[in-house]
Amino acid sequence: MNLFENEKITFVKQQIKNMYVEDERPWVVGYSGGKDSTVVVQLIFEALSELKQEQTLLNKKVYVISSDTLVETPLIISFINRTLMLIQDKAIELGLPIETHKVKPEIEKSFWAMLIGKGYPSPRQKFRWCTDRLKIEPANRFILDKVSTFGEVIMVLGVRDSESQTRAQVMESHTVAGKVLMRHSSLPNAFVYAPIRNFDTNDVWSYLLEYESPWGNDNHQLLTLYQNSDSECPLIVDKEVKESAGSCGNSRFGCWVCTVVQKDKALIGFIDKGEDWMIPLLKFRDRLYDIRSERGYRQKRRMNGQVYLTPVSKEEVELTKYQKVKQNGEEYLVPLIKGSGEEYRLIKEEEIGEYLKMENVDLDTIEDSNILIEEEEGTYKRLGLGPFTLEARKYLLRLLLETQKEVHNPYDPSFELISIEDLKVIRKYWLKDGDWEDSLPGIYHEVMNREVDWEYDDRPPFEEDQITDLELLCQEYNVSFSLLKELIQIEKKYSGYKIRRGLQQEFERAFRQDWLHV
């Protein structure tokens, strides 16, 4: 390492010492297992060790936290778990006030609970619902707990200006002139300290490869994890930083189910390096990426009941042939989309509500609308997409369980893709969404051939033949079966209470949904 780099390291370590002894506010250090966060934790560890040798009173805690989304790349989460234990053991040995913790999402907001349970579509760049629920909220819960105890906390993060222009702009917007600490965008009693803010990538790797890990890790092994990968997935605790962080799909240090990018270079890279046991994970992840674009697996309304229309490009809809179709005494023109072989009903935008009612279309279960909506001559739209249908969720659960049976992690015999706790939450969401057949226990037993205590106290409200009768009656009287199921679930939720405050409001909300009034 050259003189300039030595001076930079010396400066940062001295700054860390000064910041530590300046006040009694505890530190919460974000550790993702990647290169930048490793540099930060190692510099803090070394600085505190030197303060200890100087007989300085180390009177405040440093909490090193790592986010476990429960869908982390298996090799990486094993590496992080091992490292956290090494850091903790060495800190105890040296008498340093460092504690390591893992933060996890609430089970009701886990990846599988949201995707397979509630039907959230696979995340994409413009709808990264996973980051808030799996990373930001768990980390912020930990921070707020410390705020309630100590009044204020300082977040120490391995963010750098040179990572991207957007990141640098976000950091600059939170910087107070003449101050080292930055304001946290959403937590008023939390401040952000970025000790390696002015480092570039060469500084990071030079330090890691020249200075040995104080807790015994081999930083050269960390370097090998970055081959064919150009980024890490940081521990994100700030929604503005989230927007500048980009995707973690190309990173070794991300989730194996990441569908924000088209190809998962991390999984592919591990498999290319000989980790063949991860091939089933890649196949499942690729299917998860594809299925969100398959209209037959998506509801045609949003979770809040909103119906919306999306444009159809001229390239996608090149009308080449028409057929006349008679239905209910009316004659329709049916255009064909070139190359698809699928027939679409051509209707005017103002006629869509009447058509849906006449055809008794259920936007929750219909495989596809087969409706081409003419906004004006030559301009077409179709119904927008919402959550995965219940049938799609059942398909994904079955596929995930089959993948779990196929995967044999040589480093962790107890490795599982989805927990029983996840499955119980998913079952609860399915029952609430009208899965009166209570499908989940049967799917699990069929695939896994194991018994689980599913706690059958909450039985479905109807038997299978009764469900069929209700569905036929709804068709006969042109009543939405989905709406009926939702109303029954609301009534069931409030049953047994003497004062059923909120029942009427939930009924009104159900009746106000867009899809009932299109």
Side-chain angles (χ1 to χ4, degrees), residues 254-272:
C255 302
W256 70 268
V257 290
C258 183
T259 53
V260 176
V261 292
Q262 186 173 1
K263 295 293 182 183
D264 190 319
K265 294 181 180 178
L267 281 178
I268 294 171
F270 281 128
I271 292 168
D272 287 345

Side-chain angles (χ1 to χ4, degrees), residues 309 346-354 372-376 379 381 518:
L309 303 177
L346 181 64
I347 61 175
K348 299 291 185 181
E349 187 168 0
E350 60 271 16
E351 298 171 349
I352 183 172
E354 181 182 354
L372 194 64
I373 301 158
E374 189 173 33
E375 186 180 31
E376 55 187 50
T379 304
K381 290 184 176 181
V518 174

Side-chain angles (χ1 to χ4, degrees), residues 73 76 224-231 247-273 275 278 282 285-286 289:
T73 302
I76 297 305
T224 64
L225 288 174
Y226 273 86
Q227 291 176 349
N228 303 321
S229 177
D230 56 6
S231 65
S247 162
C248 299
N250 291 329
S251 169
R252 297 287 189 186
F253 297 84
C255 302
W256 70 268
V257 290
C258 183
T259 53
V260 176
V261 292
Q262 186 173 1
K263 295 293 182 183
D264 190 319
K265 294 181 180 178
L267 281 178
I268 294 171
F270 281 128
I271 292 168
D272 287 345
K273 295 296 181 182
E275 304 291 347
M278 300 178 79
L282 181 61
R285 178 264 165 207
D286 288 347
Y289 179 91

Side-chain angles (χ1 to χ4, degrees), residues 299-308 352-353 356-357 360-365 383 479-487 509-518:
Q299 295 178 19
K300 306 308 180 293
R301 66 177 182 96
R302 291 187 169 125
M303 286 184 175
N304 62 4
Q306 181 186 20
V307 175
Y308 66 104
I352 183 172
L356 294 177
K357 291 174 184 176
N360 198 23
V361 173
D362 187 341
L363 298 177
D364 283 354
T365 60
L383 289 168
V479 173
S480 167
F481 188 46
S482 294
L483 175 63
L484 178 65
K485 290 197 288 187
E486 184 171 354
L487 294 175
R509 177 197 57 77
F511 282 118
R512 284 198 304 266
Q513 297 178 87
D514 284 0
W515 64 280
L516 297 172
H517 309 286
V518 174

Side-chain angles (χ1 to χ4, degrees), residues 64-322:
V64 177
I65 68 170
S66 186
S67 175
D68 183 357
T69 62
L70 305 178
V71 283
E72 299 291 325
T73 302
L75 291 178
I76 297 305
I77 195 61
S78 296
F79 169 77
I80 290 174
N81 290 341
R82 184 173 64 253
T83 300
L84 290 177
M85 286 190 293
L86 289 172
I87 293 172
Q88 186 66 85
D89 290 345
K90 195 66 177 179
I92 292 173
E93 177 188 328
L94 298 178
L96 303 180
I98 295 175
E99 289 185 12
T100 59
H101 297 267
K102 278 204 307 182
V103 295
K104 300 179 181 180
E106 297 172 338
I107 195 66
E108 290 80 11
K109 295 182 179 180
S110 73
F111 184 81
W112 301 124
M114 302 303 293
L115 185 131
I116 297 179
K118 288 193 170 185
Y120 275 56
S122 322
R124 56 189 177 87
Q125 187 64 44
K126 293 184 178 180
F127 188 41
R128 285 191 291 163
W129 55 262
C130 49
T131 306
D132 286 349
R133 291 164 180 81
L134 305 186
K135 291 199 168 192
I136 294 177
E137 291 179 11
N140 283 356
R141 277 201 313 274
F142 185 93
I143 297 167
L144 289 173
D145 176 68
K146 300 309 172 189
V147 167
S148 67
T149 303
F150 298 100
E152 292 182 343
V153 300
I154 295 175
M155 282 296 305
V156 188
L157 303 177
V159 290
R160 297 182 289 110
D161 286 341
S162 63
E163 288 179 88
S164 71
Q165 185 176 357
T166 305
R167 171 65 63 83
Q169 291 172 348
V170 169
M171 293 171 66
E172 184 61 32
S173 69
H174 292 284
T175 301
V176 179
K179 301 291 184 181
V180 176
L181 298 182
M182 294 174 281
R183 297 184 300 268
H184 194 286
S185 68
S186 58
L187 301 178
N189 291 330
F191 300 87
V192 176
Y193 171 40
I196 63 168
R197 178 174 179 173
N198 296 320
F199 279 36
D200 58 27
T201 303
N202 287 334
D203 295 328
V204 168
W205 283 119
S206 294
Y207 171 73
L208 288 175
L209 299 179
E210 290 293 331
Y211 291 80
E212 291 185 1
S213 167
W215 50 83
N217 267 357
D218 184 353
N219 288 336
H220 288 81
Q221 289 183 354
L222 180 64
L223 177 61
T224 64
L225 288 174
Y226 273 86
Q227 291 176 349
N228 303 321
S229 177
D230 56 6
S231 65
E232 70 176 280
C233 199
L235 189 146
I236 302 173
V237 295
D238 188 309
K239 292 193 176 184
E240 289 193 27
V241 172
K242 163 194 167 184
E243 299 305 321
S244 68
S247 162
C248 299
N250 291 329
S251 169
R252 297 287 189 186
F253 297 84
C255 302
W256 70 268
V257 290
C258 183
T259 53
V260 176
V261 292
Q262 186 173 1
K263 295 293 182 183
D264 190 319
K265 294 181 180 178
L267 281 178
I268 294 171
F270 281 128
I271 292 168
D272 287 345
K273 295 296 181 182
E275 304 291 347
D276 293 348
W277 64 273
M278 300 178 79
I279 291 175
L281 300 183
L282 181 61
K283 288 181 179 178
F284 180 89
R285 178 264 165 207
D286 288 347
R287 181 69 187 117
L288 201 57
Y289 179 91
D290 292 336
I291 193 174
R292 72 178 179 212
S293 302
E294 297 177 15
R295 294 180 58 83
Y297 285 111
R298 303 278 294 276
Q299 295 178 19
K300 306 308 180 293
R301 66 177 182 96
R302 291 187 169 125
M303 286 184 175
N304 62 4
Q306 181 186 20
V307 175
Y308 66 104
L309 303 177
T310 57
V312 181
S313 66
K314 290 183 179 180
E315 292 76 16
E316 187 179 1
V317 182
E318 184 179 334
L319 305 179
T320 58
K321 186 170 65 174
Y322 293 86

